[in-house]
Amino acid sequence: DFSTSIPIILSGTSTISVADPFSAFFNGPLSGDGSLVIFSDEIGSNVVLGGDHPYTGATTVSRGGLALSGSASELGATASLTVGLAGTGRLTLGTGARVTPTTFIRFGNSGQQGTGTLADSGTLLSAGTYLEVGSGGPGTLDVTGGARASSAT
């Protein structure tokens, strides 16, 4: 596993790749105008974000997992969120985490599977424009325990 609390500035497109069964933990803020792509070797690997991450580029979970947990964990300025692009992508939110892209959220894209799991009260997934589940590929979104999912349209 890898863990850091160092602030990271994203510029252009930054890719995080994690080999299964390991995880990468980022507790320092990810900021800047760049985009984040998560592309892992296997489905069992995860990128775990703790704290506020105010970067403004797009977020793509191409293959592998992205997890946020805790009321201080937030992706609030990201332009969009795509889960599942070059393989199965997973998004897991819990214990009050918030993901609120300014435009769309898409689970399943380019024929690939995207899954989302939202659990616990205070957990929020909210799209600025639209939320798609399974329109571009197989997609699922499970919302339990008082978590909420929404979109403007």
Side-chain angles (χ1 to χ4, degrees):
D1 287 352
F2 169 81
S3 180
T4 184
S5 294
I6 297 172
I8 297 171
I9 298 173
L10 302 177
S11 179
T13 300
S14 300
T15 300
I16 298 174
S17 182
V18 182
D20 187 48
F22 300 104
S23 294
F25 297 86
F26 294 89
N27 294 310
L30 301 178
S31 62
D33 61 1
S35 296
L36 177 63
V37 175
I38 297 168
F39 189 87
S40 299
D41 294 337
E42 299 290 336
I43 196 159
S45 56
N46 283 302
V47 171
V48 181
L49 301 180
D52 185 20
H53 301 281
Y55 65 92
T56 58
T59 302
T60 303
V61 184
S62 188
R63 183 170 68 190
L66 173 62
L68 286 89
S69 183
S71 60
S73 296
E74 183 169 1
L75 281 178
T78 190
S80 61
L81 173 63
T82 301
V83 181
L85 184 61
T88 299
R90 295 178 330 280
L91 175 70
T92 305
L93 303 179
T95 352
R98 300 171 54 89
V99 175
T100 56
T102 58
T103 60
F104 67 86
I105 300 169
R106 182 177 293 133
F107 290 92
N109 196 40
S110 299
Q112 301 300 313
Q113 182 175 357
T115 64
T117 303
L118 284 62
D120 305 317
S121 179
T123 300
L124 175 66
L125 179 69
S126 180
T129 56
Y130 62 89
L131 171 62
E132 291 183 345
V133 179
S135 65
T140 60
L141 179 59
D142 295 321
V143 183
T144 62
R148 295 177 296 142
S150 67
S151 71
T153 57

